[in-house]
Amino acid sequence: SMPAYACQRPSPLTHHNTLLSEALETLAEAAGFEANEGRLLSFSRAASVLKSLPCPVASLSQLHGLPYFGEHSTRVIQELLEHGTCEEVKQVRCSERYQTMKLFTQVFGVGVKTANRWYQEGLRTLDELREQPQRLTQQQKAGLQYYQDLSTPVRRADAEALQQLIEAAVRQTLPGATVTLTGGFRRGKLQGHDVDFLITHPEEGQEVGLLPKVMSCLQSQGLVLYHQYHRSHLADSAHNLRQRSSTMDVFERSFCILGLPQPQQAALAGALPPCPTWKAVRVDLVVTPSSQFPFALLGWTGSQFFERELRRFSRQEKGLWLNSHGLFDPEQKRVFHATSEEDVFRLLGLKYLPPEQRNA
Ligand code: DCP
Ligand code: MG
């Protein structure tokens, strides 16, 4: 038997049904491109169930009794088990629509809505986007400018090198402040599309206004290729915590592209152009007050689907609203206190799952 919510079961990084889960995730992604939320959720949930299975699925009978295996997902798995491929998945992956939407949404600053609008207007390539700079935001321009580097996976070694650079800048700006690597790398991934950091200080209040100083410090070292600063909206929405639909947090943050110094590669004399000495990497820096840190850590560690399930579980099973700022009881109008992620799992009546088991 398998619990219904992904936050009730371990989801390791590597599992026994990758081919099957990736097929369903392709269909989920394609449904997302069509803004079909229902289909996206059905395929995502079925894919996530496969990730928690203790062995490879070898026959259809093994799916009996598993949650979220509807007729469609079951049919896909059946085809994969019988033929090794699934015609529908193959067609989706080859389609112009899927490939273009994937290409556009991979650009920093481009979401599904914008990608779809461009697609409907007949745009198909990045060069066609570059020809219309007046239609692009600064963020999208930067995304296109550094596209090649940004579409190359960030490796763990890059993430660790960045942590050193950011820690040094943070320490210099505010002694005692800490920098925590979150996102996929905290879940044990060996590569990612960006690097996510949380910054806090044990003495609440000390962290206010920290980020612009840290950014100046990084800028003076020539490391910042692009950045967009957002001040904290905590003060003017103290009750943000209580907004059940709000999944986006309002912490002070900077969405950046940093130029990570790279070890010089020996170029063949004269044969190759000189290698750039840096690589563009997407970095998110988020500052949290220490009292909200456990919630922010839990919210930023992901995976995105795990977070979605955690919020759904809180709401549907416990009547509580969870986000990256805190946990709120709408009936008793009270907020919960937590000093660690373990506390939050306990408050929700869930068995603690370490980050490596949140790859739902
Ligand atoms: N997150 C969030 N609010 C945002 C962006 C992200 O709460 N505005 C959360 C959800 C994600 C986690 O932070 O689970 C990290 O987001 P990423 O998009 O960076 O996803 P990952 O780090 O898991 O994967 P990747 O390797 O693609 O970076
Ligand atoms: Mg990430």
Side-chain angles (χ1 to χ4, degrees):
S1 77
M2 166 89 65
Y5 296 86
C7 55
Q8 293 174 300
R9 54 182 196 242
S11 307
L13 184 60
T14 52
H15 60 90
H16 308 280
N17 292 288
T18 312
L19 183 83
L20 306 183
S21 66
E22 282 179 356
L24 295 178
E25 279 179 330
T26 296
L27 297 182
E29 189 181 25
F33 291 158
E34 306 318 316
N36 190 334
E37 189 76 2
R39 252 174 94 104
L40 174 121
L41 281 175
S42 304
F43 288 127
S44 302
R45 285 178 186 153
S48 175
V49 164
L50 293 175
K51 296 180 189 177
S52 293
L53 288 176
C55 57
V57 172
S59 86
L60 215 52
S61 63
Q62 285 170 264
L63 300 182
H64 279 314
L66 291 182
Y68 304 117
F69 269 89
E71 187 265 326
H72 200 154
S73 292
T74 306
R75 179 157 35 90
V76 172
I77 301 303
Q78 181 172 14
E79 217 180 307
L80 283 165
L81 291 177
E82 285 172 8
H83 307 287
T85 62
C86 169
E87 198 52 40
E88 183 185 5
V89 175
K90 229 161 80 183
Q91 277 181 17
V92 166
R93 284 182 184 153
C94 292
S95 69
E96 186 178 39
R97 169 72 179 168
Y98 176 80
Q99 288 186 2
T100 311
M101 287 297 284
K102 204 158 168 72
L103 178 74
F104 288 172
T105 53
Q106 241 179 51
V107 177
F108 176 40
V110 181
V112 167
K113 272 190 194 152
T114 305
N116 180 51
R117 193 174 65 241
W118 289 341
Y119 185 89
Q120 299 303 341
E121 288 171 13
L123 298 170
R124 293 293 182 270
T125 66
L126 298 184
D127 281 335
E128 287 166 353
L129 299 181
R130 290 189 179 103
E131 282 161 16
Q132 310 200 26
Q134 74 286 353
R135 306 191 48 190
L136 303 171
T137 64
Q138 290 306 109
Q139 199 174 52
Q140 292 160 352
K141 280 183 200 166
L144 284 171
Q145 184 178 351
Y146 301 109
Y147 183 81
Q148 194 167 358
D149 275 4
L150 298 185
S151 58
T152 313
V154 187
R155 291 154 305 175
R156 175 165 281 280
D158 295 332
E160 282 163 5
L162 277 163
Q163 180 155 17
Q164 302 270 314
L165 290 171
I166 291 159
E167 262 173 1
V170 167
R171 225 178 297 127
Q172 190 181 326
T173 311
L174 179 65
T178 60
V179 178
T180 306
L181 180 63
T182 65
F185 287 111
R186 184 162 183 256
R187 301 196 308 276
K189 279 176 70 176
L190 298 176
Q191 52 184 49
H193 98 282
D194 69 355
V195 194
D196 309 288
F197 292 105
L198 283 181
I199 303 171
T200 191
H201 189 281
E203 197 184 318
E204 187 141 335
Q206 289 287 312
E207 78 288 348
V208 174
L210 171 67
L211 205 45
K213 292 181 199 150
V214 171
M215 291 313 299
S216 303
C217 181
L218 295 171
Q219 266 167 329
S220 69
Q221 299 172 66
L223 296 169
V224 182
L225 301 173
Y226 168 88
H227 88 111
Q228 191 181 27
Y229 171 75
H230 294 264
R231 71 177 179 85
S232 160
H233 288 270
L234 282 170
D236 46 42
S237 66
H239 58 280
N240 174 273
L241 198 66
R242 296 158 196 186
Q243 287 167 4
R244 62 179 288 181
S245 60
S246 153
T247 53
M248 192 70 182
D249 61 62
V250 295
F251 293 121
E252 180 182 21
R253 71 185 54 208
S254 194
F255 296 126
C256 336
I257 300 175
L258 299 186
L260 178 65
Q262 296 286 289
Q264 264 289 20
Q265 284 178 20
L268 292 172
L272 291 170
C275 303
T277 53
W278 48 264
K279 176 189 172 193
V281 180
R282 272 275 301 112
V283 176
D284 285 342
L285 300 177
V286 178
V287 179
T288 83
S290 62
S291 63
Q292 298 178 21
F293 182 77
F295 299 99
L297 184 60
L298 181 58
W300 274 85
T301 297
S303 67
Q304 221 150 52
F305 184 70
F306 182 86
E307 300 299 331
R308 203 171 176 149
E309 288 282 278
L310 203 52
R311 289 193 298 265
R312 186 168 72 98
F313 175 85
S314 309
R315 201 172 58 238
Q316 293 186 351
E317 303 300 320
K318 303 287 159 177
L320 302 175
W321 300 345
L322 175 72
N323 61 27
S324 289
H325 295 282
L327 182 65
F328 180 66
D329 183 337
E331 228 160 65
Q332 301 191 7
K333 306 223 181 312
R334 78 173 265 244
V335 294
F336 293 90
H337 178 73
T339 57
S340 63
E341 283 183 321
E342 282 88 341
D343 274 353
V344 186
F345 278 86
R346 212 174 300 124
L347 287 167
L348 291 170
L350 286 168
K351 191 168 171 290
Y352 176 72
L353 289 170
E356 313 81 66
Q357 299 296 344
R358 299 180 205 159
N359 290 290

